[in-house]
């Protein structure tokens, strides 16, 4: 419990900053909706863009002049930001003790390494839930403020459920890397590199459908936003597989942190 | 029961040497000194013992249990690392309370006593503290739960002489209350003052383990001679003579063995001056150091 509280406290400032940024991100994104949906020359130009250009911008086949299509387009950026937060957080919970050389303080206490990881995981979980909920509420509120068509609250809820799973994947990936690597200080940059790599893969498969098999490497493509927009909900099998991936990363975190020599 | 038991402990860092086949027992209630030059493997031994790094082979236990398999055994352990690093944004008192929260007992009174003894301001932020004051935080942090085993890794660095004395008083008090103390240092005089037994470590190996009293009083003498004529090395070519330094008519050496034997040898010379002194640990240590090296 003490480690959990300590962890929450040490992440508090970062959490506030991230939450504010997520709100501002949604706000600035939504404020452009008026242009996209005005039906004037601008939105016509958008629909006439070649598919590859649309894919690069993240619009893909969404009809960005409707609120659900526009939100799906905006959401691909929201989820990227949330994933970066989760990856840095995950690697940070372990790496920062070794970076700040506080491992020696913590590990000689009468607690197991497993307890340390569990407490830190729970604290990190609280952090990503807060970011998720803040962004969800911002989206509910701001979409309602700009939306003139049908209500899409249900779809937004599903979007943020998928975001939570993506957050979990990158949180556990970051933690796994910092538990596994001999030099955990580098785990944050490795985790974000992997993240950006998988984002690039997502872009590539957007452009070239025949490479869709690569999507397995990109958690950003695990959930079909088109299905969500069309109201088809989530594929249960994929949800289970994604959660399984989280479980594997988490279990490896425990395993390798137990085995590793800590840097002091 | 041995409070610390280290058996055939080896730790290698890849190909680099860590420690090799270290064997040690520290008995309850004693103050045990662990002496060696920088990089000899003192901290490696301690970190393996405390469960920070895994042994390559062999075992290390405190209170009969390994810190890896039984982390809870560390509740009776107080540890002062050689370099003190803490969460910078915390105030001293918050850090100490956080540390105390792991031991499931009320340490407030002890924290205040120790802070007063060490003249430490509890309200300051840790990153505003000087190196010496951080060390004080480390000392309070290591002792606040009244541990039965105190492990100190080069504890006096950064403390001024007055504080060093205070610190040694504190450690002695804890020892008299029943705590076992394991004290690593490269400063020999401080070990000499405090410890019952001492182990010398060099290049990862224990080269000597002995009672301080045996080392100091019984065996070793530092002998300086000044003769009327030149002294030859051959005249003192007998067991127990080491560090023999001769310069024309004067000679200096460390002698270990029967005093009568050496006195008879000395008596054969025509002397101008003679002194026989207790060597300090440093000289004894250098004696091992050079012999082994």
């Amino acid at each position: 419990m003490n480690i959990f509280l300590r962890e929450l406290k040490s992440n508090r400032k970062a959490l506030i900053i991230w939450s504010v940024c997520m709100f501002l991100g949604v706000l600035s994104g939504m404020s452009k909706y008026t242009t996209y949906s005005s039906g004037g020359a601008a939105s016509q130009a958008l629909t006439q863009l070649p598919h590859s250009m649309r894919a690069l911008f993240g619009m893909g086949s969404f009809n960005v002049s409707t609120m659900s299509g526009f939100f799906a387009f905006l959401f691909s950026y929201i989820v990227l930001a949330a994933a970066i937060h989760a990856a840095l957080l995950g690697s940070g919970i372990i790496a920062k003790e070794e970076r700040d050389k506080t491992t020696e303080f913590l590990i000689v206490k009468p607690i197991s390494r497993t307890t340390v990881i569990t407490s830190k995981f729970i604290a990190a979980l609280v952090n990503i839930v807060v970011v998720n909920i803040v962004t969800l509420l911002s989206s509910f509120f701001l979409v309602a403020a700009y939306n003139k068509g049908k209500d899409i609250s249900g779809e937004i809820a599903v979007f943020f459920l998928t975001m939570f799973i993506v957050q979990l994947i990158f949180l556990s990936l970051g933690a796994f890397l910092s538990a596994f690597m001999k030099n955990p200080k580098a785990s944050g940059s490795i985790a974000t590199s992997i993240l950006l790599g998988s984002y690039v893969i997502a872009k590539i498969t957007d452009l070239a459908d025949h490479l869709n098999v690569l999507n397995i490497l990109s958690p950003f493509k695990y959930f079909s936003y088109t299905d969500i927009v069309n109201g088809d909900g989530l594929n249960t099998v994929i949800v289970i597989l994604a959660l399984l991936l989280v479980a594997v990363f988490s279990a490896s975190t425990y395993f390798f942190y137990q085995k590793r020599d800590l840097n002091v | 029961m041995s409070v610390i038991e280290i058996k055939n402990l080896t730790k290698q860092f890849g190909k680099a040497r860590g420690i090799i086949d270290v064997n040690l027992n520290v008995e309850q209630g004693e103050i045990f000194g662990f002496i060696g030059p920088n990089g000899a493997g003192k901290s490696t031994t301690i970190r393996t013992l405390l469960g920070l790094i895994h042994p390559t082979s062999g075992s290390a236990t405190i209170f009969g249990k390994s810190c890896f398999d039984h982390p809870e055994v560390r509740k009776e352990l107080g540890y002062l690392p050689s370099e003190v690093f803490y969460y910078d944004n915390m105030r001293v008192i918050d850090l100490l309370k956080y540390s105390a929260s792991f031991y499931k007992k009320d340490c407030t009174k002890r924290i205040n006593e120790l802070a007063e003894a060490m003249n430490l301001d509890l309200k300051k932020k840790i990153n505003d503290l000087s190196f010496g004051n951080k060390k004080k935080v480390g000392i309070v942090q290591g002792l606040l739960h009244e541990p039965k085993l105190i492990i100190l890794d080069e504890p006096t660095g950064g403390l001024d002489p007055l504080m060093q004395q205070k610190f040694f008083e504190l450690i002695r008090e804890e020892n008299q209350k029943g705590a076992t103390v394991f004290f690593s240092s490269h400063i020999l005089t401080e070990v000499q003052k405090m410890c019952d037994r001492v182990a010398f470590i060099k290049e990862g190996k224990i080269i000597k383990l002995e009672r301080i009293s045996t080392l100091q009083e019984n065996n070793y003498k530092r002998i300086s001679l000044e003769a009327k004529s030149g002294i030859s090395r051959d005249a003192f070519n007998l067991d127990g003579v080491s560090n023999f330094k001769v310069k024309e008519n004067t000679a200096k050496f460390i002698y270990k063995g029967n005093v009568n034997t050496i006195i008879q040898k000395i008596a054969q010379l025509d002397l101008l001056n003679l002194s026989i002194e207790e060597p300090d640990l440093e000289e004894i240590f250098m004696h091992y150091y050079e012999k082994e090296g």
Side-chain angles (χ1 to χ4, degrees), chain A residues 2-3 6 97 100-113 258-262 264, chain B residues 11 47 50-54 68 71-72 74-75 79 81 85-87 90 98-99 101-103 141:
Chain A
N2 40 14
I3 302 178
R6 170 84 213 113
E97 300 281 350
D100 301 341
K101 308 198 179 218
T102 46
T103 331
E104 218 171 12
F105 168 85
L106 191 59
I107 296 295
V108 301
K109 299 284 179 270
I111 39 160
S112 64
R113 293 188 187 186
Q258 196 68 39
K259 276 186 60 170
R260 183 158 68 80
D261 283 347
L262 302 176
V264 282
Chain B
K11 173 68 190 173
R47 286 167 184 166
L50 298 186
L52 284 155
I53 52 179
H54 293 262
F68 290 106
E72 72 285 352
R74 290 183 290 219
K75 68 178 182 295
Y79 172 50
F85 292 98
Y86 294 125
Y87 307 90
M90 290 174 108
Y98 180 44
S99 182
S101 70
F102 288 93
Y103 298 103
Q141 188 267 133

Side-chain angles (χ1 to χ4, degrees), chain A residues 105 108-109, chain B residues 74-81 84 86 95-96 99-100 103 110-111 114 134-152 167 170-171 174 179:
Chain A
F105 168 85
V108 301
K109 299 284 179 270
Chain B
R74 290 183 290 219
K75 68 178 182 295
E76 292 297 349
L77 165 78
Y79 172 50
L80 174 63
V84 183
Y86 294 125
L95 184 274
L96 293 174
S99 182
Y103 298 103
R110 190 70 186 137
I111 291 176
L114 288 166
K134 275 188 191 164
K135 199 87 188 190
K136 291 184 196 171
V137 178
I139 293 167
V140 179
Q141 188 267 133
L143 298 178
L144 57 84
H145 54 296
E146 297 172 80
K148 293 203 178 89
L149 170 61
I150 302 169
I151 295 185
L152 309 161
F167 167 70
L170 275 177
I171 297 296
E174 292 299 313

Side-chain angles (χ1 to χ4, degrees), chain B residues 27-51:
Chain B
E27 305 302 326
Q28 185 160 5
E30 77 175 327
I31 303 185
F32 190 95
F34 195 41
I35 287 284
N38 294 328
K42 300 190 295 289
S43 296
T44 304
T45 310
I46 291 175
R47 286 167 184 166
T48 317
L49 178 66
L50 298 186

Side-chain angles (χ1 to χ4, degrees), chain A residues 177-242:
Chain A
L177 285 171
S178 60
F180 174 73
M181 287 169 57
K182 281 219 170 96
N183 177 15
K185 277 174 247 176
S187 63
S189 36
I190 303 276
T192 37
S193 310
I194 293 177
L195 185 150
L196 292 174
S198 70
Y199 190 74
V200 169
I201 290 173
K203 288 282 160 207
I204 291 172
T205 57
D206 276 346
L207 288 172
D209 286 344
H210 63 278
L211 292 174
N212 271 348
V213 65
L214 289 176
N215 279 341
I216 195 167
L217 296 174
S218 179
F220 296 107
K221 297 294 279 185
Y222 287 179
F223 304 102
S224 161
Y225 297 151
T226 324
D227 285 356
I228 300 175
V229 170
N230 295 337
D232 293 339
L234 295 178
N235 182 334
T236 324
V237 177
I238 289 183
V239 171
I240 290 170
L241 286 177

Side-chain angles (χ1 to χ4, degrees), chain A residues 63-226:
Chain A
N63 178 1
V64 291
S65 60
T66 67
M67 184 50 101
S68 59
F70 181 78
F71 189 77
F73 157 57
L74 175 62
F75 182 75
S76 66
Y77 293 100
I78 294 175
V79 79
L80 176 66
I84 291 174
H85 170 249
L88 290 175
L89 184 68
S91 72
I93 52 174
I94 294 171
K96 74 167 171 238
E97 300 281 350
E98 290 176 75
R99 186 194 62 211
D100 301 341
K101 308 198 179 218
T102 46
T103 331
E104 218 171 12
F105 168 85
L106 191 59
I107 296 295
V108 301
K109 299 284 179 270
I111 39 160
S112 64
R113 293 188 187 186
T114 307
T115 313
V116 173
I117 298 284
T118 306
S119 316
K120 283 172 171 277
F121 259 143
I122 297 173
L125 213 56
V126 170
N127 275 272
I128 59 169
V129 167
V130 168
V131 166
N132 191 293
I133 288 178
V134 165
T135 324
L136 171 69
L137 293 178
S138 312
S139 304
F140 272 153
F141 176 74
L142 291 166
V143 165
Y146 285 93
N147 197 357
K148 295 185 192 85
K150 75 173 173 72
D151 178 60
I152 59 160
S153 301
E155 289 164 30
I156 292 177
V158 179
F159 270 122
F160 281 91
L161 185 63
T162 70
M163 179 166 106
F164 183 60
I165 296 172
V166 173
Q167 283 176 297
L168 284 177
I169 292 173
F170 283 108
L171 176 77
S172 55
L173 171 73
F176 159 69
L177 285 171
S178 60
F180 174 73
M181 287 169 57
K182 281 219 170 96
N183 177 15
K185 277 174 247 176
S187 63
S189 36
I190 303 276
T192 37
S193 310
I194 293 177
L195 185 150
L196 292 174
S198 70
Y199 190 74
V200 169
I201 290 173
K203 288 282 160 207
I204 291 172
T205 57
D206 276 346
L207 288 172
D209 286 344
H210 63 278
L211 292 174
N212 271 348
V213 65
L214 289 176
N215 279 341
I216 195 167
L217 296 174
S218 179
F220 296 107
K221 297 294 279 185
Y222 287 179
F223 304 102
S224 161
Y225 297 151
T226 324

